């Protein structure tokens, strides 16, 4: 879809040709003489329209307007969250129409902020997204162009540009997460990374089984050994900062299909285990956004990609493997494989002397039980890092929730036959999984995002959400701001608090 940003008052919007015109009506809306203002004011006065976010009123071929269809939609206080709600509701009205060119009017919103413009664009893209890759006769979205009308392009441009970068990243993440496993093998995922390597400031390297064996990644190898598909270890680099600047490292779980291995999963809904690489997809998406936005920082992306399959070569419950860190792991359940591939990559990440490491994984069903599909689970050994991620989630509308990491939760991981077991008891499963990973992340500020409940939807709306690309990109951009503040005035107090990352353990 093509997006355009244009300066248009409510009066000028009346003279714009479009298949559909969406007008956001905020609290305190008043008529100012033009057709749209008069229409909106009359609708509010009669009670046919409310400013409650998502309330819509539509009309067809209104006199005085060149747009074919008009949708008035309440947006409340015009916060980014309410703008998203309003856009989703109004786009829903248009889904059955033949509209190809849509004009979204934000001109009635007073003191429009860049983040509100960003929310509008991202919501438009979200509402019109359709997966087509493996369909013989794909139904292509009819909507081809969206113009965003604002009172001042200068003030809105930054939010618009950010949104375009986000949309590219989110849609790339959705594309690879939605693909069936035979169209998103570890090798194909590595191919997607190599394509990213052609973009400005991005480099891609792909390691195979022999390379991983040389590194001593025994846990990663153990998971991959049951599949005929060879593993791939993807290393992405975005070099936007100074050469000596410590990078942020993103680690994405890339289990391209998870049967559970010998501890095989039930057949019902096993097809959804193609989404077990959504962490990897989110890292790919974040790098696509970085290529578009070009922030001044360094980022490393690490993706361990393999399948978890049952075969005569597969690991068995009770097997003991040696991780890259030298710690031995008793595999009590082969379906707890994500933490096995991640632990080796966390050890690998230490070589970059990172300012922070964030791993992203569809790790536990327990996190779905705890938080549902609204917030991702956040675990961290560093207060400043956790605070930055929570703020990024709030600012991007891609929410997360801080979970505990008390030492007592690690008791269940004790075993008589290795340094640690790969599962604890059933209770607190999301926390014990995070406690397992924490053992391999003691040398740097680390956070773990469990996205098992937020990365995809089931049922009629089955499909990837593209989360948490928005959160990750917002977090990375905040680190640019933090660096700038630190370099400009290391000892100064900022009016708006920005948490700086250090190695103080929580």
């Amino acid at each position: 879809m093509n997006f355009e940003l244009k300066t248009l008052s409510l009066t000028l919007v009346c003279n714009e040709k479009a298949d559909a015109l969406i007008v956001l009506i905020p609290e305190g809306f008043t008529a100012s003489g033009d057709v749209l203002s008069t229409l909106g004011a009359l609708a509010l006065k009669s009670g046919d329209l409310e400013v409650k976010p998502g309330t819509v009123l539509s009309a067809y071929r209104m006199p005085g307007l060149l747009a074919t269809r008009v949708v008035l939609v309440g947006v409340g206080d015009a916060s980014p969250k309410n703008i998203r709600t309003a856009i989703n509701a109004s786009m829903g009205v248009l889904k059955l129409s033949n509209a190809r060119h849509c004009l979204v009017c934000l001109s009635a919103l007073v003191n429009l902020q860049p983040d509100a413009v960003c929310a509008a664009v991202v919501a438009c893209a979200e509402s019109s997204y359709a997966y087509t890759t493996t369909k013989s006769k794909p139904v292509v979205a009819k909507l081809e162009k969206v113009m965003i009308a604002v009172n001042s392009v200068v003030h809105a441009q930054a939010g618009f540009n950010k949104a375009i970068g986000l949309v590219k990243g989110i849609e790339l993440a959705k594309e690879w997460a939605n693909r069936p496993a035979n169209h998103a093998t570890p090798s194909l995922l590595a191919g997607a990374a190599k394509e990213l390597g052609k973009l400005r400031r991005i480099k891609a390297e792909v390691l195979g089984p022999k390379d991983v064996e040389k590194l001593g990644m025994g846990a990663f190898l153990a998971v991959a050994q049951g599949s005929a598909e060879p593993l791939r270890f993807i290393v992405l680099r975005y070099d936007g900062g100074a050469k000596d600047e410590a990078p942020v490292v993103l680690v994405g779980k890339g289990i391209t299909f998870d049967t559970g291995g010998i501890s095989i999963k039930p057949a019902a809904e096993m097809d959804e285990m193609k989404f077990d690489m959504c962490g990897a997809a989110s890292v790919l998406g974040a790098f696509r956004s970085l290529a578009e936005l070009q922030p001044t920082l360094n980022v490393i992306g690490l993706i361990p990609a393999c399948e978890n399959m049952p075969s005569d070569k597969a690991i068995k419950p009770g097997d003991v493997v040696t991780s890259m860190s030298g710690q031995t792991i008793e595999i009590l359940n082969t379906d707890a494989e994500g933490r096995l591939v991640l632990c080796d990559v966390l050890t690998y990440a230490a070589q970059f002397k990172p300012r922070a490491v964030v791993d992203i994984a569809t790790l536990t069903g327990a996190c779905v039980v705890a938080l549902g599909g609204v917030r991702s689970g956040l675990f961290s050994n560093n207060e400043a890092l956790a605070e930055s991620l929570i703020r990024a989630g709030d600012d991007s509308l891609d929410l997360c929730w801080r979970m505990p990491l008390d030492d007592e939760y690690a008791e269940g991981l004790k075993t008589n036959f290795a340094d640690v077991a790969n599962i604890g008891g059933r209770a607190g499963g999301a926390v014990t999984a995070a406690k397992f990973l924490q053992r391999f992340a003691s040398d740097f500020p680390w956070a773990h995002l469990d996205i098992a409940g937020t990365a995809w939807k089931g049922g009629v709306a089955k499909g990837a959400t593209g989360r948490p690309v928005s959160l990750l990109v917002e977090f990375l951009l905040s680190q640019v701001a933090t660096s700038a503040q630190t370099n400009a005035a290391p000892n100064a107090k900022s009016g708006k608090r920005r948490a700086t990352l250090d190695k103080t353990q929580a």
Side-chain angles (χ1 to χ4, degrees):
M1 180 188 296
N2 295 317
F3 287 93
E4 182 182 352
L5 183 66
K6 190 172 183 179
T7 298
L8 290 171
S9 65
L10 284 172
T11 301
L12 292 176
V13 165
C14 298
N15 300 320
E16 283 287 324
K17 290 184 178 181
D19 298 323
L21 168 61
I22 296 172
V23 185
L24 275 61
I25 307 294
E27 296 172 351
F29 180 83
T30 56
S32 57
D34 60 89
V35 174
L36 271 180
S37 294
T38 303
L39 178 63
L42 286 173
L44 290 171
K45 185 177 181 180
S46 67
D48 291 324
L49 177 69
E50 298 177 6
V51 294
K52 179 182 178 181
T55 304
V56 298
L57 177 66
S58 58
Y60 187 75
R61 294 194 181 279
M62 284 290 300
L65 299 176
L66 293 186
T68 305
R69 300 168 184 81
V70 181
V71 179
L72 304 181
V73 55
V75 73
D77 63 0
S79 66
K81 180 180 179 181
N82 287 343
I83 284 178
R84 181 176 67 180
T85 299
I87 294 293
N88 288 341
S90 52
M91 283 291 184
V93 173
L94 298 179
K95 277 189 176 179
L96 298 179
S97 74
N98 292 316
R100 295 183 180 277
H101 174 203
C102 179
L103 174 59
V104 177
C105 178
L106 307 182
S107 304
L109 308 185
V110 180
N111 298 322
L112 183 67
Q113 298 301 309
D115 59 348
V117 177
C118 181
V121 174
V122 172
C124 287
E126 170 71 25
S127 297
S128 59
Y129 170 81
Y131 172 78
T132 61
T133 301
T134 52
K135 294 183 177 181
S136 62
K137 297 179 180 179
V139 178
V140 181
K142 295 177 182 177
L143 192 60
E144 297 173 350
K145 181 181 179 181
V146 174
M147 179 185 290
I148 306 294
V150 294
N151 286 316
S152 171
V153 164
V154 173
H155 190 60
Q157 192 71 57
F160 181 80
N161 292 346
K162 179 180 175 182
I164 298 303
L166 279 173
V167 167
K168 290 181 182 295
I170 291 168
E171 293 193 347
L172 181 67
K174 284 183 179 180
E175 168 65 24
W176 282 96
N178 281 330
R179 288 189 179 200
N182 61 328
H183 289 263
T185 62
S187 296
L188 290 173
L189 204 63
K194 288 181 178 179
E195 287 299 309
L196 286 175
K198 297 177 182 179
L199 301 177
R200 185 185 173 201
R201 289 182 171 174
I202 293 181
K203 297 177 182 177
E205 180 183 10
V206 178
L207 307 182
K210 291 183 179 179
D211 302 306
V212 170
E213 185 176 6
K214 288 179 181 178
L215 290 169
M217 293 182 165
F220 183 10
L221 286 165
V223 175
Q225 71 188 42
S227 175
E229 290 285 347
L231 68 80
R232 291 291 182 266
F233 181 28
I234 300 165
V235 180
L236 288 165
R237 300 170 187 265
Y238 172 78
D239 298 317
K243 289 184 178 180
D244 60 348
E245 181 180 304
V248 175
V249 177
L250 304 180
V251 178
K253 175 186 171 185
I255 303 298
T256 57
F257 195 79
D258 181 20
T259 66
I262 298 300
S263 306
I264 197 164
K265 294 176 180 290
E269 299 178 345
M270 194 196 282
D271 65 288
E272 293 185 2
M273 288 301 97
K274 71 177 185 176
F275 295 120
D276 211 21
M277 44 68 69
C278 281
S282 72
V283 173
L284 293 177
F287 270 76
R288 181 63 187 88
S289 294
L290 289 172
E292 191 73 19
L293 300 174
Q294 293 290 303
T296 54
L297 81 164
N298 297 327
V299 185
I300 303 292
L302 304 176
I303 298 173
C306 68
E307 293 182 338
N308 185 25
M309 300 289 285
S311 74
D312 59 335
K313 295 181 180 180
I315 47 174
K316 306 171 292 299
D319 283 358
V320 174
V321 299
T322 303
S323 67
M324 184 181 180
S325 70
Q327 297 179 69
T328 58
I329 304 166
E330 184 182 19
I331 301 170
L332 296 179
N333 189 320
T334 64
D335 194 23
E337 86 298 328
R339 65 200 71 180
L340 295 175
V341 301
L342 290 174
C343 74
D344 275 345
V345 178
L346 288 173
T347 301
Y348 182 87
Q351 69 179 287
F352 299 105
K353 298 180 180 179
R355 63 187 296 180
V357 176
V358 181
D359 76 68
I360 311 101
T362 49
L363 206 63
T364 65
C367 197
V368 184
V369 174
L371 298 175
V374 178
R375 292 178 183 261
S376 301
L378 167 65
F379 303 81
S380 183
N381 64 7
N382 183 278
E383 291 298 325
L385 175 56
E387 185 181 338
S388 293
L389 286 165
I390 291 169
R391 185 186 298 113
D394 292 342
D395 291 347
S396 65
L397 306 180
D398 192 349
L399 305 174
C400 59
W401 188 262
R402 183 86 182 268
M403 301 283 279
L405 276 176
D406 303 75
D407 289 340
E408 288 78 4
Y409 284 106
E411 291 296 314
L413 296 172
K414 291 182 177 179
T415 171
N416 295 333
F417 306 106
D419 297 329
V420 64
N422 76 324
I423 60 167
R426 183 177 182 183
V431 186
T432 55
K435 289 300 293 183
F436 177 91
L437 294 177
Q438 187 182 12
R439 295 174 63 99
F440 304 87
S442 59
D443 294 335
F444 40 74
W446 159 80
H448 159 59
L449 287 170
D450 192 329
I451 60 170
T454 57
W456 81 90
K457 296 179 180 179
V460 177
K462 183 181 292 186
T465 62
R467 296 178 65 183
V469 172
S470 294
L471 185 159
L472 295 174
V473 173
E474 187 70 34
F475 165 69
L476 292 172
L477 295 178
S478 76
Q479 297 312 295
V480 175
T482 299
S483 297
Q485 289 174 6
T486 302
N487 293 335
N491 299 315
K493 293 183 178 179
S494 171
K496 182 178 180 182
R497 184 168 178 263
R498 283 283 185 182
T500 55
L501 306 183
D502 55 41
K503 293 190 177 182
T504 302
Q505 301 300 305

